[in-house]
């Protein structure tokens, strides 16, 4: 007869591992993204932006480095750093205390710790100007990450694209 602690440990082991039909296979490190853009039309429009010269991730990183928030002394880069920090903190706080311990035990803090921001950007070294995925930024912005300047810029341009399409129809 198993006691409550053994059952709890078995549930935890099942949660954190993948199983094949014969044995436990290797553990898969979790991905740091917590918000996903799922609307097919928005995904398509943002994909079009990502392949354009003006909106690709390199162009957006350059714009971020050279911009300040309209009507404010607060820099876009500073706002994006706050967005990355808030994202990492939120992701960490979504985990239960036992999940946080398991993440630490398995050495997954590099992927799930508070040092990773939007799209898994490493923020340890104040890397706020890095941009990996416009979809991830837009999803974070739409989920309430108002300080995500990249997400705001992307969604403003998506709005422009939709208005242009509507005007031409």
């Amino acid at each position: 007869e198993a006691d409550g602690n053994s059952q709890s440990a078995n549930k935890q082991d099942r949660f954190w591992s993948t199983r094949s039909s014969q044995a436990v296979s290797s553990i898969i490190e979790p991905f740091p993204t917590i918000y996903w853009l799922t609307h097919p039309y928005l995904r398509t429009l943002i994909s079009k932006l990502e392949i354009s010269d003006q909106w690709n991730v390199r162009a957006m990183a350059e714009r971020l480095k050279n911009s300040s928030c309209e009507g404010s002394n607060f820099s876009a880069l500073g706002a994006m750093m706050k967005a990355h920090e808030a994202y990492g903190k939120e992701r960490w706080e979504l985990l239960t205390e036992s999940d946080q311990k398991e993440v630490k035990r398995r050495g997954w803090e590099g992927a799930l710790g508070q040092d990773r921001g939007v799209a898994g950007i490493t923020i340890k070294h104040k890397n706020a100007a890095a941009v990996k995925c416009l979809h991830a930024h837009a999803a974070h912005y739409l989920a309430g990450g108002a300080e995500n300047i990249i997400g705001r810029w992307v969604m403003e341009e998506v709005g422009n694209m939709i208005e242009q399409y509507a005007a031409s129809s």
Side-chain angles (χ1 to χ4, degrees):
E1 179 177 335
D3 63 15
N5 290 337
S6 296
Q7 288 174 347
S8 176
N10 287 338
K11 284 181 185 177
Q12 185 176 6
D13 288 344
R14 283 195 303 265
F15 178 76
W16 286 103
S17 63
T18 57
R19 295 187 182 273
S20 67
S21 59
Q22 297 185 4
V24 175
S25 62
S26 62
I27 302 298
I28 300 170
E29 184 174 314
F31 198 70
T33 301
I34 55 177
Y35 297 112
W36 296 84
L37 191 63
T38 59
H39 192 282
Y41 188 57
L42 284 178
R43 283 194 335 253
T44 300
L45 292 175
I46 293 171
S47 291
K48 287 181 179 185
L49 290 177
E50 279 193 336
I51 61 172
S52 74
D53 290 337
Q54 184 182 359
W55 290 91
N56 65 52
V57 293
R58 284 188 189 125
M60 294 304 286
E62 215 35 56
R63 181 177 175 186
L64 186 59
K65 288 177 197 173
N66 298 319
S67 295
S68 62
C69 294
E70 297 80 13
S72 170
N73 292 329
F74 192 67
S75 75
L77 197 55
M80 199 61 239
M81 188 64 201
K82 286 186 180 216
H84 283 303
E85 289 169 347
Y87 194 97
K89 183 177 185 226
E90 180 180 5
R91 181 184 45 245
W92 187 252
E93 290 174 354
L94 284 171
L95 299 173
T96 65
E97 187 177 323
S98 64
D99 289 342
Q100 290 173 359
K101 287 178 184 175
E102 188 66 16
V103 165
K104 289 176 183 178
R105 185 182 79 76
R106 293 190 184 273
W108 289 342
E109 287 176 284
L112 299 177
Q114 295 184 57
D115 291 336
R116 293 285 180 150
V118 179
I121 298 286
T122 303
I123 57 176
K124 234 184 203 174
H125 305 289
K126 306 292 183 197
N127 196 20
V131 180
K132 281 188 181 178
C133 175
L134 300 185
H135 297 82
H137 286 279
H140 180 231
Y141 177 76
L142 291 171
E147 65 282 333
N148 190 322
I149 299 301
I150 297 291
R152 187 181 91 200
W153 291 339
V154 167
M155 291 311 301
E156 286 171 355
E157 185 59 20
V158 164
N160 292 337
M161 293 167 79
I162 292 169
E163 285 178 17
Q164 288 173 359
Y165 177 76
S168 69
S169 297

